Amino acid sequence: MPPRSTRPVDKFDDDDYAAYTMGRAAEMLGTTPAFLRALGEHRLITPLRSEGGHRRYSRYQLRIAARARELVDAGTPIEAACRIIILEDQLEEAQRINEELRTRGATS
């Protein structure tokens, strides 16, 4: 068996590979295609398009949509849910950068 580093990357192992149709994504999330379209309208997720123009979602996007559904199911308006998730993501990124800078500073 060749070393793992030379094995071609399987697109289904890629969290960003848009493998799921809108119908399948909605089914997996237990929601409707309209909910997924609304997330796109609020710029929370932007699905890729197939050659035929159909929306395709990645596993990463489905995790974000699942978080939005949790908030909406708890009574949060969809606009607010999208904004909350965007802010959570920005906070996580800022914390990651801050930790990276702190680690670099400690080793200098």
Side-chain angles (χ1 to χ4, degrees), residues 44-57:
L44 181 62
I45 57 176
T46 303
L48 293 177
R49 297 284 182 151
S50 68
E51 288 182 21
H54 299 282
R55 291 173 178 89
R56 299 283 182 178
Y57 296 89

Side-chain angles (χ1 to χ4, degrees), residues 52-96:
H54 299 282
R55 291 173 178 89
R56 299 283 182 178
Y57 296 89
S58 68
R59 289 188 304 200
Y60 175 74
Q61 290 172 323
L62 294 183
R63 283 195 299 274
I64 292 171
R67 173 72 177 125
R69 173 143 192 238
E70 287 174 9
L71 291 169
V72 169
D73 286 351
T76 305
I78 194 164
E79 301 85 10
C82 291
R83 186 68 184 135
I84 288 167
I85 295 166
I86 290 167
L87 290 170
E88 286 174 342
D89 187 57
Q90 290 172 346
L91 175 60
E92 185 179 311
E93 178 68 7
Q95 289 172 330
R96 185 194 62 75

